[in-house]
Every structure is written in C-alpha cells, then in structure tokens.
Amino acid sequence: MKNKHYFLNENNFYDRLEEYYEKFGQIIVAYDFDDTVYDCRNYGRDYSEIIELIRNMQPYAYLIVFTSRPKSEY
C-alpha cells in the first residue's frame, strides 16, 4: 500500500513541484487572503514569511488569491 501521507514529507512535496514546473514551465499556486497573508482577526500574527515565499514564487508560478470579502473591501 502506498503511503497515504506521501506529500506531507517536505522533500516529496518539493520534488513534485519541481517535476511539474519542469514539465509545464509554470505552476499554479492558489491561496486564501484572510489568515494566510493578512491578519483579518487582528490577532497580531506575522505572515511575512508566507508573503516573502509567495513573492519569491512570482517568476515561476501563476498566483491566484481567494477571498470571501465583499468587493468594497478589495
């Protein structure tokens, strides 16, 4: 039986991303805005490492941000 948690291993996760990037020339990264890159509940959380990671991916990835915020708050 295959390990059902195969991609929880960080090395396997990165290997798959690299494989897809080499195959397609780009990857798609989708993420939620609230509590991923923005502290919407004002808990004082720091998302700077995630933001930096996303910025570093820009040349290699098509980025999609999701939000359920109303259009007036974009």
Side-chain angles (χ1 to χ4, degrees):
M1 179 176 152
K2 277 189 160 183
N3 180 352
K4 67 180 181 175
H5 302 292
Y6 181 80
F7 290 110
L8 293 180
N9 177 307
E10 194 171 306
N11 292 329
N12 296 334
F13 171 78
Y14 288 117
D15 289 346
R16 183 173 184 192
L17 283 178
E18 183 177 27
E19 174 190 339
Y20 278 29
Y21 180 76
E22 288 176 3
K23 183 175 182 178
F24 300 109
Q26 190 175 48
I27 57 174
I28 297 171
V29 175
Y31 60 95
D32 186 43
F33 181 75
D34 290 323
D35 287 329
T36 301
V37 295
Y38 178 74
D39 184 12
C40 69
R41 295 187 180 100
N42 296 314
Y43 288 148
R45 294 180 178 151
D46 177 18
Y47 297 100
S48 59
E49 287 184 44
I50 299 297
I51 293 167
E52 184 66 22
L53 175 66
I54 291 170
R55 283 186 177 141
N56 288 337
M57 295 178 86
Q58 281 182 309
Y60 313 103
Y62 182 77
L63 303 173
I64 301 171
V65 62
F66 289 98
T67 186
S68 61
R69 289 178 170 266
K71 204 170 197 176
S72 62
E73 293 183 24
Y74 285 4

